[in-house]
Amino acid sequence: MARVLGLLLAAGGVTGAAAQTAAPPGPTLSAVRARGALSCGISTGDPAWSAPDSRGEWQGMDADVCRAIAAAALGDPRKLVWQHLTGQNRFPAVVTGQVEVLTRTTTWTFMRDATLGLNFTAPNFYDGQGFLVRANSGITAAKQLDGASICFVSASTHELNLSDWSRAQALRFTPVIFADKDEARRAYEANRCDSYTGDASQLAAILAGFPDRAAHVLLPDRISKEPYAPSVKQGDDQWFDIVRYVMFGLVEAEELGITSANADAMLAESPSPAVQRLLGRTGDLGPGVGLDRAWMLNAIKAVGNYGEIYDRHLGKHSAVKLDRGLNELWSRGGLMIAPPMR
């Protein structure tokens, strides 16, 4: 960290405004620094989002968001305490301070945001609820699930979505409810239900891990909108801004062409004012929220930009091979956009 800041000063690239003292740390940032690690809430095991690899290291979209925040706040993506949370205990973990941030494939809804003591920060994925069925069932559309037994996870948006959708379509179904996703997946594999419903990206990741992938079909229907966003406890605006703008910074990095591999070179060589502000050579982005100027440089070097994270866990470099769709940059027809980082 000191080496990077020294490089900036030696290069004469830090303006007078950027040389101001950083804002004092708020209560959450102070707690994270005192512990020397970020407490981050993820799942108990969810392919492509947060699951242990063969070495026991947690990998996935949600895990990498945790690493990016730790890198920005502490300068080291390894300074993490993983908190493996279920659908039932994830929100209390935020409100009680067990975790400083929840990244656990959690849909941003009005009631969750307004009544649970949480603040949702910035969308990191746009999804919709879908259905997984067996190929030999002959089912090709969700409306054919009338009378079916359907597995899903409790304390999720899926139950209300399914109830609303079935009522609107005048369909009946038998619910088969489980406490976590792994239980629901195993039940579906064991033929305890005709279909497994959940967010389509999660179903696609589960499908990619089946021994006989061709024996199952992810139906094209989507019955809901599911914007995922990391959430934090209400009452600390500085920490809210840190988490929010780390996420936006990863999106901005993709738009500017900054990657984990070229970030140092872009810092040293890019003539773009936007690149120089994001990476900390100019401007006062990091100090404005109590961090140093290398906050986003550290985050990007740790996990890459948003597109790199997506491709690694859900896209072309993963087993899932899920198209970007709504999660493409706004400039390419998607919904991923960051406010101006200035």
Side-chain angles (χ1 to χ4, degrees):
M1 188 79 67
R3 184 186 65 81
V4 172
L5 295 180
L7 171 65
L8 298 182
L9 292 167
V14 178
T15 66
Q20 296 173 2
T21 303
T28 307
L29 181 57
S30 295
V32 170
R33 286 176 172 169
R35 186 191 306 117
L38 171 72
S39 181
C40 196
I42 56 173
S43 75
T44 55
D46 194 357
W49 292 95
S50 51
D53 62 17
S54 58
R55 300 171 298 171
E57 296 288 333
W58 284 79
Q59 305 293 344
M61 292 277 289
D62 287 340
D64 274 353
V65 170
C66 293
R67 290 187 174 94
I69 298 167
L74 297 169
D76 189 339
R78 298 166 297 180
K79 292 184 175 180
L80 282 162
V81 178
W82 300 110
Q83 301 284 355
H84 307 126
L85 305 175
T86 66
Q88 292 87 348
N89 66 16
R90 55 182 163 169
F91 300 130
V94 180
V95 176
T96 61
Q98 179 184 346
V99 300
E100 282 88 36
V101 61
L102 174 70
T103 68
R104 186 192 177 279
T105 53
T106 298
T107 301
W108 184 352
T109 72
F110 174 88
M111 292 300 287
R112 288 174 173 178
D113 202 353
T115 69
L116 296 184
L118 310 175
N119 278 328
F120 285 83
T121 55
N124 68 332
F125 195 82
Y126 293 95
D127 209 344
Q129 186 170 337
F131 298 90
L132 197 60
V133 299
R134 294 172 190 83
N136 63 10
S137 68
I139 296 173
T140 58
K143 288 184 178 180
Q144 295 174 267
L145 290 168
D146 190 24
S149 57
I150 302 178
C151 287
F152 58 88
V153 178
S154 64
S156 69
T157 56
H158 305 143
E159 186 168 6
L160 181 57
N161 291 339
L162 193 57
S163 177
D164 287 350
W165 172 77
S166 64
R167 188 178 300 114
Q169 300 295 326
L171 302 178
R172 295 175 300 167
F173 69 93
T174 300
V176 186
I177 308 172
F178 298 91
D180 64 46
K181 297 170 187 176
D182 199 44
E183 284 185 294
R185 175 190 57 77
R186 290 198 302 266
Y188 169 74
E189 285 189 280
N191 292 310
R192 292 178 58 188
C193 51
D194 301 309
S195 175
Y196 179 18
T197 190
D199 294 342
S201 65
Q202 297 176 47
L203 297 179
I206 289 169
L207 178 59
F210 283 159
D212 187 1
R213 186 170 182 168
H216 306 271
V217 175
L218 178 58
L219 298 180
D221 307 79
R222 301 292 178 267
I223 66 170
S224 71
K225 51 187 177 182
E226 307 288 335
Y228 296 169
S231 59
V232 298
K233 182 180 180 180
Q234 288 182 358
D236 188 341
D237 286 349
Q238 181 192 72
W239 185 248
F240 170 83
D241 285 339
I242 288 171
V243 175
R244 188 184 201 195
Y245 279 93
V246 167
M247 191 60 239
F248 282 142
L250 297 175
V251 173
E252 179 88 341
E254 181 180 10
E255 187 172 349
L256 295 172
I258 306 170
T259 69
S260 56
N262 73 12
D264 281 330
M266 293 285 274
L267 171 68
E269 302 168 7
S270 175
S272 165
V275 169
Q276 296 303 316
R277 278 193 299 270
L278 187 65
L279 297 181
R281 182 183 290 276
T282 62
D284 204 22
L285 300 183
V289 290
L291 304 178
D292 62 36
R293 293 178 192 88
W295 67 303
M296 280 309 306
L297 176 66
N298 290 334
I300 296 162
K301 288 174 66 174
V303 298
N305 62 41
Y306 179 79
E308 289 181 273
I309 298 170
Y310 186 99
D311 286 344
R312 184 161 58 244
H313 301 298
L314 285 170
K316 59 186 178 182
H317 301 313
S318 74
V320 184
K321 309 293 184 189
L322 192 67
D323 289 340
R324 288 281 292 265
L326 295 177
N327 298 291
E328 185 58 91
L329 291 178
W330 68 278
S331 55
R332 300 173 190 158
L335 296 179
M336 299 306 297
I337 187 170
M341 301 287 282
R342 60 174 182 263

